Amino acid sequence: DAGDTNTTCKLNLNNVPVDDYTSIEFILGIDSVRNKSGAQSGDLDPSKGMYWAWNQGYIFMRFFGYSTAAPLNSSHNITYEIGESKSARTIVLPFQSNLSVQSSNTPKVYLKTNLSELFKNPNTVSFNFLNSAMTAKDFQPLVDNYSDLFTVSEITNLPYMKNRCSIFIIFLSTTIASFAQKADDIIGNW
């Protein structure tokens, strides 16, 4: 919800081996084998609205909106659906200091998402010129901007919980609301 400036998503990684870690790595998208294996269940269930039946694959990121910077002939609508296996990207985020997973603690890693980076670094994406992208050719500039979407904002250690080593990943999307409110100012002038 773009109106909620404190939106969070929590992910618990269980059975993380006891060790010291210098970064976190994840895929933004779905690996090519699963992406082309047809409709699946759980989080990949087509009922979640992220499956392209016509393309036999998943939508990795979906963004709909409205901006006066978008062309009038599109009713100022913005539609981006990013998918296809070659659009999945590995994101590596280094930690400021080592993250120590021990039998006596459960670290929390806070990741911050800045949605405006999807439209400005390294490729500037103008709603005026690209207000709709649903093919690899069109959404490639957005895919190339994935790397700056996430940052590690904080790491904390918690007492040991339930006899297992875990890492809690918390995605903070505090910048989405400010982006949504100022989209015309930020992007409309590019």
Side-chain angles (χ1 to χ4, degrees):
D1 179 4
D4 182 356
T5 60
N6 295 309
T7 301
T8 60
C9 175
K10 297 178 184 178
L11 173 65
N12 185 12
L13 303 177
N14 294 316
N15 303 315
V16 176
V18 170
D19 205 345
D20 289 332
Y21 296 88
T22 59
S23 64
I24 186 168
E25 181 176 313
F26 57 92
I27 295 174
L28 184 56
I30 299 170
D31 67 82
S32 59
V33 173
R34 291 195 78 160
N35 191 40
K36 292 299 181 182
S37 295
Q40 298 174 51
S41 60
D43 287 335
L44 296 178
D45 190 307
S47 68
K48 306 254 186 209
M50 298 297 281
Y51 182 71
W52 275 329
W54 63 272
N55 195 25
Q56 299 274 324
Y58 286 87
I59 301 165
F60 303 160
M61 183 181 297
R62 175 179 273 162
F63 183 92
F64 297 122
Y66 174 88
S67 172
T68 56
L72 179 60
N73 66 355
S74 72
S75 300
H76 300 293
N77 290 322
I78 302 162
T79 304
Y80 300 119
E81 289 189 346
I82 300 171
E84 299 189 19
S85 296
K86 64 184 173 183
S87 298
R89 293 291 186 271
T90 299
I91 307 294
V92 179
L93 301 173
F95 298 141
Q96 295 279 337
S97 59
N98 283 358
L99 172 75
S100 183
V101 175
Q102 301 299 321
S103 60
S104 61
N105 73 347
T106 303
K108 273 190 177 181
V109 177
Y110 294 82
L111 302 181
K112 187 173 185 179
T113 306
N114 185 344
L115 188 59
S116 66
E117 290 295 330
L118 185 63
F119 301 99
K120 66 180 184 179
N121 192 20
N123 299 310
T124 299
V125 177
S126 168
F127 290 161
N128 188 38
F129 298 106
L130 184 64
N131 68 303
S132 179
M134 296 177 71
T135 65
K137 177 183 172 248
D138 290 336
F139 57 63
Q140 190 61 47
L142 297 164
V143 170
D144 292 341
N145 290 351
Y146 280 176
S147 62
D148 291 330
L149 279 174
F150 304 96
T151 56
V152 176
S153 64
E154 183 181 354
I155 297 174
T156 61
N157 287 312
L158 299 174
Y160 187 57
M161 298 170 59
K162 297 184 183 176
N163 298 327
R164 66 179 182 225
C165 294
S166 301
I167 296 178
F168 291 97
I169 310 294
I170 302 175
F171 293 92
L172 303 171
S173 55
T174 57
T175 56
I176 291 176
S178 61
F179 170 76
Q181 292 168 1
K182 298 178 183 177
D184 288 340
D185 295 336
I186 295 170
I187 296 173
N189 296 322
W190 288 341

Short mmCIF file of all heavy atoms in Angstrom, two decimals, residues 25-31 88-91:
data_model
loop_
_atom_site.label_atom_id
_atom_site.label_comp_id
_atom_site.label_asym_id
_atom_site.label_seq_id
_atom_site.Cartn_x
_atom_site.Cartn_y
_atom_site.Cartn_z
N GLU A 25 22.50 -12.46 -0.40
CA GLU A 25 22.30 -12.59 -1.83
C GLU A 25 20.93 -13.22 -2.08
O GLU A 25 20.55 -14.17 -1.40
CB GLU A 25 23.40 -13.49 -2.39
CG GLU A 25 23.34 -13.71 -3.87
CD GLU A 25 24.53 -14.53 -4.38
OE1 GLU A 25 25.67 -14.24 -3.99
OE2 GLU A 25 24.28 -15.49 -5.14
N PHE A 26 20.20 -12.67 -3.05
CA PHE A 26 18.90 -13.23 -3.41
C PHE A 26 18.62 -12.93 -4.87
O PHE A 26 19.27 -12.08 -5.49
CB PHE A 26 17.77 -12.69 -2.51
CG PHE A 26 17.64 -11.20 -2.49
CD1 PHE A 26 16.79 -10.54 -3.36
CD2 PHE A 26 18.36 -10.44 -1.57
CE1 PHE A 26 16.66 -9.16 -3.34
CE2 PHE A 26 18.23 -9.06 -1.53
CZ PHE A 26 17.38 -8.42 -2.42
N ILE A 27 17.67 -13.66 -5.42
CA ILE A 27 17.27 -13.46 -6.81
C ILE A 27 16.00 -12.63 -6.83
O ILE A 27 15.03 -12.96 -6.15
CB ILE A 27 17.03 -14.80 -7.53
CG1 ILE A 27 18.33 -15.61 -7.62
CG2 ILE A 27 16.45 -14.58 -8.93
CD1 ILE A 27 18.14 -17.00 -8.17
N LEU A 28 16.01 -11.56 -7.61
CA LEU A 28 14.80 -10.80 -7.88
C LEU A 28 14.23 -11.38 -9.16
O LEU A 28 14.75 -11.16 -10.25
CB LEU A 28 15.10 -9.31 -8.03
CG LEU A 28 13.90 -8.40 -8.22
CD1 LEU A 28 12.90 -8.56 -7.09
CD2 LEU A 28 14.35 -6.96 -8.30
N GLY A 29 13.22 -12.21 -9.00
CA GLY A 29 12.65 -12.96 -10.11
C GLY A 29 12.55 -14.42 -9.72
O GLY A 29 12.57 -14.75 -8.53
N ILE A 30 12.45 -15.27 -10.69
CA ILE A 30 12.32 -16.71 -10.45
C ILE A 30 13.33 -17.40 -11.36
O ILE A 30 13.44 -17.05 -12.54
CB ILE A 30 10.88 -17.19 -10.76
CG1 ILE A 30 9.91 -16.47 -9.83
CG2 ILE A 30 10.75 -18.70 -10.61
CD1 ILE A 30 8.46 -16.66 -10.17
N ASP A 31 14.05 -18.38 -10.82
CA ASP A 31 15.05 -19.06 -11.63
C ASP A 31 14.39 -19.67 -12.87
O ASP A 31 13.20 -19.98 -12.89
CB ASP A 31 15.80 -20.12 -10.81
CG ASP A 31 14.91 -21.27 -10.40
OD1 ASP A 31 14.71 -22.18 -11.23
OD2 ASP A 31 14.41 -21.25 -9.26
N ALA A 88 15.54 -12.14 -14.56
CA ALA A 88 15.85 -12.40 -13.14
C ALA A 88 17.28 -11.92 -12.88
O ALA A 88 18.16 -12.08 -13.72
CB ALA A 88 15.72 -13.89 -12.83
N ARG A 89 17.48 -11.30 -11.74
CA ARG A 89 18.80 -10.78 -11.39
C ARG A 89 19.17 -11.20 -9.98
O ARG A 89 18.33 -11.20 -9.07
CB ARG A 89 18.82 -9.25 -11.44
CG ARG A 89 18.67 -8.65 -12.82
CD ARG A 89 19.91 -8.93 -13.68
NE ARG A 89 19.85 -8.26 -14.94
CZ ARG A 89 19.32 -8.77 -16.05
NH1 ARG A 89 18.76 -9.96 -16.03
NH2 ARG A 89 19.32 -8.09 -17.17
N THR A 90 20.44 -11.52 -9.80
CA THR A 90 20.97 -11.81 -8.47
C THR A 90 21.37 -10.49 -7.84
O THR A 90 22.13 -9.71 -8.43
CB THR A 90 22.18 -12.75 -8.56
OG1 THR A 90 21.74 -13.98 -9.15
CG2 THR A 90 22.75 -13.02 -7.19
N ILE A 91 20.83 -10.23 -6.65
CA ILE A 91 21.14 -9.02 -5.90
C ILE A 91 22.07 -9.42 -4.75
O ILE A 91 21.77 -10.35 -4.00
CB ILE A 91 19.86 -8.38 -5.32
CG1 ILE A 91 18.80 -8.16 -6.41
CG2 ILE A 91 20.18 -7.11 -4.55
CD1 ILE A 91 19.16 -7.15 -7.47
#
